[in-house]
């Protein structure tokens, strides 16, 4: 790579949705966390400013989950210091993932908050000088050290020792009560031992979340605040070893098992939408779906477990759409638009010579690339529209349009293109008086998709008609199927038919175009179906609705 402009590309991208913001946050952390001399100055300040904007919109638990990604690099002392000052979950994840040089650790550790220093005590890959510096700053492990053996005072049997534990005070969060470091004076060593054990238990104590389990476990408070999704980490055996703070007491130690899950984990494959039933407190009890990815030790490369998310199964009366295959397709398309938009933008910059003259050969190549990118984006739009229509996520407006006039005009528009092949597709019947509950732009798109698809499938010299069937309540259009489509059992199947000339069925072929037209018709209460050798479009008219509106208007005038 001669020119690394990845940071410029990310900064120019717009993050309009939750998924886009999470993706851009991860990209910026990865790029900013990899120090480069050519990224200093105004560009780096802009990147940190964008990070601040994203941090305000993305919850701390989500950011912590993104930072725990094994593929993410945090090798910048400035970024590590910034993350260490944020929420405890974010700081802990950043301190676990930071990979700094020895000199950077020695300079950074004294500047870290006390809580962030405490998170470093769990790491076993820090340089020896950094570990020594942590010890000098009083950051020690919370586990019990090796005991000192002292005799009981005043006991005749001196050979019976008493084990005393010397406990160092651990770094405390601001929310915890301070632990006294000075040992109280007691009259006996047994009293001192009791005092130290109490100090140790006090240091380990943490504030109990309202979501933590308590008796009775079926308390109604948990049911009201039941989460929709929980991030977790499990070991190679499927036992949860970490979960989000509010739900960790209820989940840690739970084993995720079952034939599908065990088989997938054995193959080290990702878990995608696998159902699982959990038992326990009301906040976690019930049916869930698991999405998780395996991760591996960065030093040995061995399988270490899974990072994932539990998603609550929607209730039967829940109006929210389920996490179906169509929803995942929409998420994938959202991710793919970013690189395609970037490619198209760079191609247009070269073709239009924005930054200076370019050879005509390069401009021609750039124009082809920009055109290909535009066609790909158009295909993405069609896929996204079909997914939203079939899942009910797309709400159509209540505008009106004359569908008969639009189809008659569209047939006239495609006639010159068909005439070059001596083919003809004509509209017959009344060319007006078909008001439907569909906006003008959407209606024209439906008409063009259907007419262009049929015209593209016609052979040279072939003739077909689109006949309007008289019906007082519906707009019914019977279209002759071209021979290439009539031979197929299912005209809505992928890959049915083809394209020719200036007319095109779209990026994904005739079958997909007809399926999309059928979804649009069904979205407004109609349908598109094959009857023998004819393709019939049926859409309800607005005659009754118009009369109702007129009647309401007359009543308002009389009032």
């Amino acid at each position: 790579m001669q020119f690394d402009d990845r940071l410029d590309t990310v900064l120019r991208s717009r993050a309009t949705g939750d998924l886009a913001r999470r993706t851009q946050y991860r990209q910026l952390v990865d790029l900013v966390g990899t120090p480069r001399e050519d990224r200093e100055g105004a560009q780096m300040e802009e990147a940190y400013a964008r990070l601040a904007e994203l941090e305000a919109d993305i919850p701390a638990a989500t950011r912590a989950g993104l930072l725990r990604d094994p593929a993410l690099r945090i090798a910048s002392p400035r970024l590590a210091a910034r993350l260490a000052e944020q929420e405890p979950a974010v700081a802990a994840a950043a301190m676990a993932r930071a990979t700094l040089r020895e000199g950077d650790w020695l300079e950074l550790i004294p500047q870290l908050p006390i809580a962030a220093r405490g998170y470093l005590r769990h790491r076993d890959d820090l340089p020896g000088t950094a570990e020594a510096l942590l010890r000098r700053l009083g950051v020690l492990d919370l586990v019990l050290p090796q005991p000192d053996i002292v005799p009981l005072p005043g006991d005749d049997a001196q050979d019976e020792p008493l084990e005393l534990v010397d406990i160092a005070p651990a770094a405390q969060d601001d929310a915890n009560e301070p632990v006294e470091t000075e040992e109280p004076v007691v009259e006996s060593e047994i009293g001192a031992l009791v005092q130290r054990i109490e100090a140790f238990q006090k240091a380990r104590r943490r504030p109990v979340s309202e979501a933590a389990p308590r008796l009775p476990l079926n308390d109604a408070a948990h049911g009201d605040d039941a989460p929709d999704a929980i991030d977790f980490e499990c070991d190679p055996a499927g036992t949860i070893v970490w979960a989000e703070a509010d739900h960790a007491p209820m989940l840690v130690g739970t084993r995720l098992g079952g034939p599908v899950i065990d088989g997938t984990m054995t193959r080290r494959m990702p878990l995608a939408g696998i159902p699982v039933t959990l038992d326990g407190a009301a906040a976690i009890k019930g049916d869930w779906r698991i999405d998780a990815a395996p991760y591996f030790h960065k030093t040995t490369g061995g399988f270490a477990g899974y990072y994932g998310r539990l998603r609550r199964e929607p209730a039967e009366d829940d109006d929210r759409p389920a996490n179906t295959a169509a929803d995942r397709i929409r998420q994938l398309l959202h991710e793919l638009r970013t690189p395609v938009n970037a490619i198209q933008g760079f191609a247009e910059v070269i073709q239009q010579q924005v930054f200076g003259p370019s050879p005509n050969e390069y401009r021609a190549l750039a124009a082809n690339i920009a055109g290909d990118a535009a066609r790909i984006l158009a295909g993405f739009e069609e896929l996204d529209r079909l997914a939203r229509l079939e899942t009910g996520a797309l709400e159509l407006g209540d505008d009106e349009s004359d569908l008969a006039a639009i189809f008659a005009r569209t047939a006239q528009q495609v006639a010159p293109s068909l005439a070059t092949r001596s083919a003809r597709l004509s509209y017959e019947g009344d060319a007006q008086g078909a008001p439907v509950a569909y906006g003008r732009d959407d209606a024209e798109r439906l008409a063009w998709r259907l007419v262009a698809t049929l015209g593209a499938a016609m052979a040279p010299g072939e003739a077909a008609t689109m006949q309007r069937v008289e019906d007082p309540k519906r707009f019914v259009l019977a279209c002759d199927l071209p021979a290439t489509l009539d031979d197929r059992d299912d005209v809505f199947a992928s890959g049915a038919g083809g394209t020719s000339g200036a007319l095109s069925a779209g990026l994904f072929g005739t079958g997909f175009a007809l399926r999309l037209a059928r979804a649009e018709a069904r979205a407004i209460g109609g349908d598109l179906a094959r009857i023998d050798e004819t393709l019939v479009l049926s859409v309800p008219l607005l005659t009754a609705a118009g009369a109702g509106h007129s009647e309401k208007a007359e009543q308002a005038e009389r009032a």
Side-chain angles (χ1 to χ4, degrees):
M1 183 180 297
Q2 297 179 352
F3 303 100
D4 185 358
D5 53 359
R6 292 175 295 174
L7 187 55
D8 285 333
T9 302
V10 174
L11 292 175
R12 280 198 299 266
S13 301
R14 295 193 308 169
T16 56
D18 293 338
L19 183 60
R21 283 192 288 268
R22 293 197 298 268
T23 301
Q24 190 174 69
Y25 177 79
R26 188 195 179 286
Q27 291 172 339
L28 284 175
V29 170
D30 191 43
L31 293 172
V32 172
T34 306
R36 289 177 59 97
E37 295 181 358
D38 56 347
R39 288 182 183 161
E40 299 300 330
Q43 184 186 46
M44 190 62 67
E45 297 303 324
E46 182 181 358
Y48 276 104
R50 181 70 62 84
L51 275 177
E53 296 175 0
L54 295 173
E55 289 164 354
D57 296 332
I58 302 175
T62 303
R63 281 182 277 132
L66 294 173
L67 293 175
R68 283 191 295 271
D69 187 349
L72 201 64
R73 286 198 63 196
I74 304 179
S76 168
R78 178 181 178 183
L79 178 62
R82 175 192 179 90
L83 297 174
E85 296 176 352
Q86 298 182 10
E87 295 86 346
V90 177
M95 293 299 97
R97 296 295 309 148
T99 55
L100 307 181
R101 294 177 296 184
E102 182 177 3
D104 293 335
W105 277 121
L106 296 179
E107 183 178 353
L108 175 65
I109 288 175
Q111 304 173 11
L112 292 176
I114 295 178
R117 296 178 194 170
Y119 298 137
L120 293 174
R121 69 182 182 273
H122 300 299
R123 297 189 53 163
D124 57 0
D125 57 348
L126 293 178
T129 53
E131 294 180 353
L133 178 58
L134 287 172
R135 286 193 296 269
R136 289 199 301 272
L137 294 174
V139 180
L140 302 175
D141 204 344
L142 289 180
V143 300
L144 295 174
Q146 292 296 327
D148 296 328
I149 308 301
V150 298
L152 280 173
D155 195 343
D156 295 335
Q158 296 293 332
D159 56 339
E160 293 292 335
L162 174 67
E163 296 184 1
L164 293 182
V165 182
D166 186 13
I167 301 171
Q172 300 296 310
D173 295 336
D174 296 336
N176 296 335
E177 299 179 9
V179 180
E180 298 181 3
T181 56
E182 295 184 1
E183 299 178 6
V185 178
V186 292
E187 298 179 359
S188 68
E189 295 294 338
I190 296 179
L193 174 62
V194 172
Q195 293 286 347
R196 295 186 182 189
I197 291 177
E198 290 178 353
F200 175 78
Q201 293 175 344
K202 193 174 183 180
R204 289 293 300 270
R205 194 174 298 125
R206 294 290 184 268
V208 180
S209 171
E210 294 181 357
R214 62 184 186 276
L215 294 177
L217 290 178
N218 59 351
D219 189 63
H222 296 299
D224 296 338
D225 300 330
D228 292 330
I230 304 175
D231 292 333
F232 71 91
E233 176 187 352
C234 67
D235 61 14
T239 302
I240 296 178
V241 297
W242 174 89
E244 292 183 83
D246 289 344
H247 315 294
M250 296 174 277
L251 283 175
V252 172
T254 301
R255 185 180 183 280
L256 302 175
V260 178
I261 296 178
D262 292 340
T264 305
M265 286 186 172
T266 302
R267 298 191 301 272
R268 312 293 191 254
M269 298 293 290
L271 302 170
I274 297 179
V276 65
T277 301
L278 297 181
D279 194 10
I284 65 166
K285 186 176 182 179
D287 296 330
W288 300 77
R289 285 191 177 272
I290 300 177
D291 295 303
Y295 71 97
F296 303 86
H297 290 293
K298 61 182 178 180
T299 54
T300 63
F303 176 58
Y306 278 82
Y307 287 126
R309 171 169 290 185
L310 288 165
R311 300 181 186 274
R312 176 78 71 176
E313 284 277 18
E316 294 182 358
D317 58 348
D318 199 340
D319 295 334
R320 295 171 298 177
N323 186 21
T324 61
D327 297 325
R328 291 194 290 270
I329 289 176
R330 292 180 56 199
Q331 294 177 4
L332 177 61
L333 292 176
H334 188 78
E335 294 289 340
L336 292 176
R337 282 194 183 98
T338 299
V340 177
N341 276 321
I343 293 172
Q344 184 185 35
F346 287 130
E348 291 176 350
V349 165
I350 297 174
Q351 195 272 332
Q352 298 174 11
Q353 305 183 93
V354 175
F355 296 133
S358 299
N360 290 332
E361 182 180 1
Y362 285 2
R363 294 184 61 195
L365 292 173
N368 291 334
I369 293 173
D372 292 340
R375 283 189 289 273
I376 292 174
L377 290 174
F380 287 171
E381 182 180 356
E382 291 187 347
L383 282 172
D384 182 70
R385 185 174 181 83
L386 178 61
R388 289 190 294 164
L389 285 171
E390 292 189 342
T391 57
L394 180 61
E395 296 182 0
L396 301 177
D398 55 357
D399 296 336
E400 298 181 12
S401 59
D402 191 338
L403 202 56
I406 292 175
F407 266 97
R409 184 171 59 252
T410 305
Q412 294 177 356
Q413 292 175 349
V414 302
S417 298
L418 292 175
T420 60
R421 295 185 283 120
S422 301
R424 182 172 58 87
L425 179 62
S426 58
Y427 177 90
E428 298 180 0
D430 194 354
Q432 59 183 354
V436 297
Y438 212 31
R440 181 184 180 88
D441 293 340
D442 290 330
E444 289 180 346
R445 185 182 304 181
L446 170 62
W448 176 262
R449 181 173 291 112
L450 187 58
V451 173
T453 299
L454 294 175
M458 295 177 65
E462 188 174 4
T465 60
M466 296 184 296
Q467 176 69 45
R468 179 180 178 182
V469 180
E470 293 298 330
D471 190 315
K473 296 183 179 180
R474 306 180 73 85
F475 171 76
V476 180
L477 189 67
C479 309
D480 294 337
L481 279 175
T484 55
L485 295 180
D486 189 33
D487 294 338
R488 302 188 65 90
D489 295 333
D490 186 3
V491 295
F492 299 100
S494 300
T499 62
S500 61
L503 297 179
S504 173
L507 184 64
F508 304 107
T510 301
F512 178 86
L514 292 178
R515 180 179 172 183
L516 179 55
R518 182 178 62 182
E520 290 181 334
R522 290 177 175 176
I524 55 176
D527 200 0
L528 179 66
R530 176 182 180 176
I531 301 177
D532 297 330
E533 299 178 354
T534 307
L535 196 64
V536 180
L537 173 67
S538 175
V539 179
L541 297 176
L542 284 177
T543 304
H549 295 327
S550 300
E551 183 179 354
K552 291 179 181 178
E554 293 176 0
Q555 293 175 355
E557 290 179 359
R558 288 196 299 268

